[in-house]
Amino acid sequence: MQFEPARRLAGHFAVPGDKSISHRALLLAAMATGSSEFTGLSAGQDVAATAACLGELGIDLHCEDAATGRWRVHGVPTQAWRSPVRPLDCGNSGTTMRLLCGVLAGAPGVRSVLAGDVSVSRRPMRRVADPLNLLGARVATTDTGTAPLAIDGQRLAGGTARLAVASAQVKSALLLAGLNAAGPVAVHEPAPTRDHTERMLRAMGAKLRQLPDGAVIEPGTLAPLPRAAIPGDPSAAAFAIALGVLHDDADIAVRSVCLNPRRTGWLAVLARMGARVQVAADADGAMIANEPSGALRGRSSALRATDVEPAEVPDCVDELPILALCAAAATGVSTLRGLSELRVKESDRLAATARLLQTLGVEVTAGPDWLRIGGVGSARNWRRVGAYDPGLDHRMALCAAVAGLCGDGAAVANWRTTDSSWPGFAEALRAVTMQ
Ligand code: S3P
């Protein structure tokens, strides 16, 4: 896909429903007893993979209206789920694989294999298999700790899991397995991560207690969510707002974005950089499972360098590449630290980000878990991106598109990979592009 420098960008940028919440909505509704309905579900391939896997497990679920993302799910307790006849295809989606691994590890009598594309098949899965197995699960990875995962569902013993990595996916897998365990499951995390699972479990009647460093789930059943609207995805909104901030003639607004504080760390970083971003919280959060939401507005800004510290990383883990791109247009040198998790995302995002910035003509040094970026003062000073291949990493493809639109153009290979999270990006972009 070819992106030419935009002359002016203005108006409302439509973003998809939140991907993290959409996965959880389908999974938790499938585990509940009764019918749940959602609007605003993400239309991305990742969430479609979760839906398809649940279908193979015998769950009756379908999209009732693609335009509004309305889905209905007829949930039954996991005891009534069937063993799939073939490996479940998680596609490009690590969230599908890790969350479903937790659910299926704790589903007695259900035997399954979870597989995915070459990107997912390179990602670390012991982080989820090991703590589940310590509670009595039978989850086997390959010798190198990757997918396919072979899962022999069991009623897990209760117990305590102390996680080695800060991962919402792993925390969620354990909490979902804990719903069917013989006793309470306590999960302690090394740093706080997104809490969508906890919020939704509580909204569906689960007995969940917050701990200073995690949560405890009591075994029990879930009530369905009769009607719930999923807020927009802040990780998608970050690209729209970055377009507004980086472009020298832009005023971009995004409506109804999830403003869960564990997802908005990137707004704090942009604020430190002097970005002209406004946040207006919605008054009446008629949101799914108590998620706060609001509107964002991003306008052309003169950015200054900033440092990102390791403690900030979990709250902006998916936005680090686009924040690095912002640093590349700032005045001064920015250092981003504590980035080891970027090495094991859909691609090695630390290396992929450094490569993109180098292509733009930006001075960047990459360490094992850090990036030092010498900003060039404005996106207008970036070089044209002759060809950028994001591999199977949707977020890197979107970063390259933003770079081309605000700088001097970009040719992005493998554009279809953006379907993982955002099949409608090109249409949404057209709506804000002034001819
Ligand atoms: C996600 C958690 C994060 C994030 C991913 C989605 C989730 O991953 O990077 O895009 O929905 O729980 P980790 O849990 O591996 O940090």
Side-chain angles (χ1 to χ4, degrees):
M1 182 80 110
Q2 189 73 33
F3 293 93
E4 293 305 326
R7 198 167 57 76
R8 176 171 158 71
L9 294 167
H12 284 279
F13 211 111
V15 299
D18 186 72
K19 186 156 80 70
S20 288
I21 300 177
S22 294
H23 284 295
R24 288 157 173 81
L26 294 179
L27 283 168
L28 273 72
M31 296 172 82
T33 306
S35 174
S36 297
E37 186 189 292
F38 308 103
T39 54
L41 204 90
S42 162
Q45 292 297 316
D46 281 12
V47 172
T50 292
C53 291
L54 289 170
E56 302 263 346
L57 288 157
I59 303 300
D60 173 10
L61 78 173
H62 51 274
C63 177
E64 292 184 329
D65 179 32
T68 54
R70 195 170 81 236
W71 280 70
R72 185 168 291 284
V73 182
H74 298 282
V76 287
T78 48
Q79 289 86 326
W81 292 18
R82 65 168 184 236
S83 297
V85 290
R86 52 188 170 197
L88 296 172
D89 185 1
C90 302
N92 188 237
S93 174
T95 311
T96 304
M97 186 167 281
R98 296 200 180 108
L99 267 59
L100 204 48
C101 177
V103 176
L104 294 174
V110 181
R111 301 182 79 142
S112 57
V113 172
L114 298 182
D117 72 6
V118 291
S119 158
V120 155
S121 304
R122 275 197 290 264
R123 299 180 66 182
M125 291 297 153
R126 279 194 188 123
R127 57 177 57 191
V128 67
D130 287 353
L132 284 167
N133 288 343
L134 280 174
L135 298 182
R138 293 195 197 153
V139 178
T141 66
T142 64
D143 289 347
T144 52
T146 55
L149 305 179
I151 304 169
D152 186 0
Q154 308 289 320
R155 177 165 310 287
L156 304 192
T160 298
R162 291 185 195 283
L163 305 185
V165 279
S167 164
Q169 294 176 351
V170 177
K171 172 180 64 175
S172 299
L174 285 150
L175 293 175
L176 297 179
L179 260 186
N180 282 331
V185 169
V187 189
H188 299 271
E189 44 183 358
T193 61
R194 64 189 69 185
D195 60 353
H196 305 304
T197 304
E198 294 93 310
R199 286 172 185 253
M200 202 178 290
L201 279 169
R202 245 187 254 111
M204 296 172 83
K207 291 204 187 79
L208 182 122
R209 200 159 38 84
Q210 215 60 50
L211 299 172
D213 62 343
V216 191
I217 179 99
E218 306 263 348
T221 53
L222 294 180
L225 281 172
R227 263 193 145 221
I230 295 175
D233 195 328
S235 301
F239 293 106
I241 295 302
L243 274 175
V245 166
L246 288 170
H247 193 277
D248 62 5
D249 186 7
D251 185 351
I252 300 250
V254 188
R255 292 195 193 102
S256 299
V257 182
C258 176
L259 293 180
N260 180 316
R262 299 264 80 96
R263 298 290 301 282
T264 51
W266 58 279
L267 288 170
V269 178
L270 283 182
R272 287 208 299 272
M273 298 179 80
R276 294 198 299 160
V277 177
Q278 288 171 346
V279 183
D282 291 341
D284 66 329
M287 287 307 143
I288 188 168
N290 315 318
E291 295 284 348
S293 71
L296 300 174
R297 181 180 179 195
R299 284 176 289 166
S300 311
S301 306
L303 299 175
R304 41 178 193 271
T306 191
D307 292 337
V308 174
E309 302 301 336
E312 296 181 87
V313 164
D315 290 350
C316 61
V317 66
D318 292 332
E319 295 75 40
L320 289 161
I322 194 70
L323 288 173
L325 189 70
C326 291
T331 304
V333 176
S334 299
T335 308
L336 284 58
R337 294 189 189 82
L339 309 185
S340 55
E341 278 298 298
L342 290 200
R343 296 276 189 198
V344 291
K345 292 295 180 188
E346 283 82 331
S347 68
D348 177 345
R349 276 189 189 152
L350 196 149
T353 301
R355 191 160 50 80
L356 177 62
L357 267 45
Q358 272 153 7
T359 312
L360 294 170
V362 172
E363 213 168 285
V364 51
T365 318
D369 67 347
W370 52 266
L371 284 170
R372 192 161 44 241
I373 299 161
V376 292
S378 163
R380 280 286 171 221
N381 296 330
W382 291 340
R383 274 200 233 125
R384 188 173 179 83
V385 180
Y388 182 78
D389 186 354
L392 292 176
D393 193 333
H394 54 119
R395 296 201 200 282
M396 292 315 305
L398 291 162
C399 266
V402 171
L405 289 159
C406 301
D408 193 24
V412 188
N414 220 1
W415 180 252
R416 291 304 300 268
T417 199
T418 58
D419 286 352
S420 287
S421 66
W422 202 346
F425 178 82
E427 291 70 37
L429 176 65
R430 259 197 297 282
V432 300
T433 307
M434 303 292 122
Q435 301 304 330

